[in-house]
Amino acid sequence: MSEAMRVPAIPLTDKDVLAVAAMLDLPILPACMPGVLANLALLDRHARILLAEGDAECA
Amino acid sequence: MRMTSATAIAQAVRSREVTAQAVLEQCLAGLEREGGRLVAVTRVLADRARRDAAAIDAVVAAGGDPGPLAAVPYGVKDLFDVEGLPTTAGSGLYADAPPATADADAIVKLRKAGAVLVATLNMDEFAYGFATINAHHGTTRNPHDLDRLAGGSSGGSAAIVAAGLLPFSLGSDTNGSVRVPASLTGIYGLKPTHGGLPMGGVFPFAHSFDDVGPFTLSIQDMQCVWSVLTGKSFAPPTRAPRIARLGGRFRDNADPEQIDAIDAIAPSASLVELPDIGAARSAAFLITASEGGALHRAALARDPMAFDPATRDRLIAGALLPPKLYAAAQDFKTRYRRRIDALIADYDVLLAPATPCVAPPIADPRVLIDGVWSPARADLGIHSQPISFTGLPSLCVPLHRPDQLPIGIQLIGKAGDEDTLFRFAVMLEEEGRIGVTSPTGLFQGDSL
């Protein structure tokens, strides 16, 4: 099984962000949501690079 | 009067050519006259500094030696504990925090060596950025062109030294926050071997990579400050350093003059490609976001609107990352460091660009990475972040190029071997390949 399959997905929608944030007792104000989503999208791109190259390294 | 040499100031005070109080008053006058234009200073500590300067003069008058940094004025990034002041980390959130009960460890060491703390300096809020765009204090300006960024996150610490208003300062470097502003303002900046300088009393950002780092205008001053902070003396060289040039992405995203300078310094040196450099930077990005988010999670829940909006949204995103992703990034880091140690075992100094370009305009703070324009705040550290990931020491040195905007290169060494980097930099300085160029226009005058 690849790293990509074992690591849970980064929340990338309003609904998923609010669900994960609720589990952390972290309220997300509406004013913050666009910036948070943009930053999560950037982090998701980095996660894909890490997991893809990390898998290649282990292959 | 420009404050350009810490060692010259100390020598003049120790030999009674000038008093500590006279040095300090000249320094304070310069900060008052020129500091505001740079947006580099957050607090001037005049009362404390005058007490310290008077005490140094008393020691000299009694025939004593105040130390190797006698009466040398300096400043610290606004995340070092200063006794009696709140440690704000560049945020309005902590403007009214309880005052620190003691100085940070690095400040204690510098004070024992005679240095005089005169100011706290601007930064990206919580050190999260490469631009020193601070919603609370303003954007720090580059003394070589006031319409351009000074870099960050230790931008205030770099700009004030580059302007000749202080001879040295302390910043912190997590992913490049000393090396990036050192490159853009044309001065020396050190990221030590991870854990190599005292972090006690420094507001953290991402503990996996956080380090204290000095800024100076010469290698001689860097060695002096390093010696005071570490208590180490310099070992004689055992052989000529073995040099390599970093290739691949480092050369793909660089100013042509950086590549020319590196090739001129070591024309026959091996070209080494660090493996998986993209993954290393991405892992550093994820670890930093996750640790920063975790650190500030409680405050983000309590008072999110008190944060700089750009910092807040980055920190919230980091707090939402899956813990298993953080663990995967840390696991990759452990394996990566073993691979890099083996890869560079045959070399003592690796040469690489420090930033991909000169200082971007404040009106358009973007950088070109792999042919795509991206925010300077996030991506100016493209060449410093992968080196932080290795934990190796990296000294940013300014290329000698008068009449142009400054830019620097990194001298990267083996863990714990900063001495070799300093010696190599002295040689480059003597050859005229590197060196500080004073800003033209605003910040000129006699030097002390």
Side-chain angles (χ1 to χ4, degrees), chain B residues 245-321:
Chain B
R245 299 167 293 161
L246 292 187
R249 207 150 186 247
F250 287 99
R251 291 172 80 90
D252 295 341
N253 292 284
D255 186 297
E257 285 202 22
Q258 287 172 306
I259 301 301
D260 290 348
I262 287 169
D263 291 347
I265 289 168
S268 58
S270 300
L271 206 54
V272 173
E273 283 216 30
L274 300 186
D276 292 337
I277 200 71
R281 180 164 184 255
S282 290
F285 223 96
L286 293 163
I287 290 169
T288 301
S290 189
E291 291 182 357
L295 181 69
H296 294 284
R297 202 173 86 192
L300 288 164
R302 191 174 58 247
D303 195 3
M305 302 314 281
F307 284 74
D308 177 334
T311 314
R312 176 195 64 212
D313 297 348
R314 293 182 86 182
L315 291 170
I316 291 174
L320 299 177
L321 288 177

Side-chain angles (χ1 to χ4, degrees), chain B residues 38-231:
Chain B
L38 291 172
V39 196
V41 177
T42 56
R43 291 175 291 201
V44 175
L45 313 176
D47 291 345
R48 169 187 166 130
R50 286 189 171 112
R51 285 196 300 274
D52 283 358
I56 289 166
D57 283 336
V59 169
V60 173
D65 182 357
L69 290 170
V72 178
Y74 76 103
V76 294
K77 187 175 183 176
D78 212 345
L79 48 57
F80 285 76
D81 282 354
V82 177
E83 184 178 3
L85 298 177
T87 306
T88 70
S91 176
L93 194 67
Y94 293 105
D96 298 318
T101 56
D103 288 339
D105 292 350
I107 295 175
V108 171
K109 287 176 181 286
L110 290 169
R111 196 178 208 175
K112 284 180 181 169
V116 176
L117 179 64
V118 299
T120 59
L121 303 165
N122 201 12
M123 56 183 286
D124 288 291
E125 187 183 54
F126 299 122
Y128 208 171
F130 292 119
T132 312
I133 298 172
N134 185 298
H136 189 63
H137 295 295
T139 298
T140 294
R141 310 263 167 171
N142 193 316
H144 290 269
D145 181 344
L146 294 177
D147 291 328
R148 291 179 183 269
L149 294 173
S153 63
S154 309
S157 299
I160 206 77
V161 172
L165 296 175
L166 292 175
F168 84 94
S169 66
L170 295 183
S172 66
D173 189 317
T174 301
N175 287 306
S177 286
V178 164
R179 289 161 290 164
V180 167
S183 177
L184 300 190
T185 62
I187 61 175
Y188 296 87
L190 175 68
K191 161 87 165 178
T193 306
H194 183 53
L197 289 177
M199 281 292 294
V202 178
F203 198 105
F205 172 24
H207 58 80
S208 288
F209 307 120
D210 287 343
D211 281 301
V212 167
F215 292 95
T216 65
L217 291 161
S218 70
I219 279 297
Q220 183 185 24
D221 281 0
M222 181 64 77
Q223 289 178 296
C224 182
V225 173
W226 171 258
S227 181
V228 165
L229 290 175
T230 60

Side-chain angles (χ1 to χ4, degrees), chain A residues 8 24 32 35 39 46 53 57, chain B residues 276 282 312 314 319 335 339:
Chain A
L24 298 171
C32 304
N39 279 287
H46 282 297
E53 294 196 28
E57 169 211 26
Chain B
D276 292 337
S282 290
R312 176 195 64 212
R314 293 182 86 182
R335 286 182 279 123
R339 293 168 70 196

Side-chain angles (χ1 to χ4, degrees), chain A residues 3 6-11 17 20-21 23-29 31-37 39-40 42-51 53-54 56-58, chain B residues 128 275-283 285-286 289 297 300-302 304-305 310 312-314 316-322 324-325 328-329 331-332 335-336 339 378-379:
Chain A
E3 287 286 329
R6 287 201 298 268
V7 174
I10 292 175
V17 164
V20 174
M23 286 191 286
L24 298 171
D25 291 325
L26 181 60
I28 309 290
L29 301 180
C32 304
M33 187 60 84
V36 171
L37 287 171
N39 279 287
L40 284 167
L42 175 64
L43 292 170
D44 187 59
R45 286 198 290 278
H46 282 297
R48 289 174 190 277
I49 293 169
L50 168 67
L51 297 177
E53 294 196 28
E57 169 211 26
C58 296
Chain B
Y128 208 171
D276 292 337
I277 200 71
R281 180 164 184 255
S282 290
F285 223 96
L286 293 163
R297 202 173 86 192
L300 288 164
R302 191 174 58 247
M305 302 314 281
R312 176 195 64 212
D313 297 348
R314 293 182 86 182
I316 291 174
L320 299 177
L321 288 177
K324 282 189 176 178
L325 180 60
D331 183 52
F332 179 80
R335 286 182 279 123
Y336 194 78
R339 293 168 70 196
D379 284 336

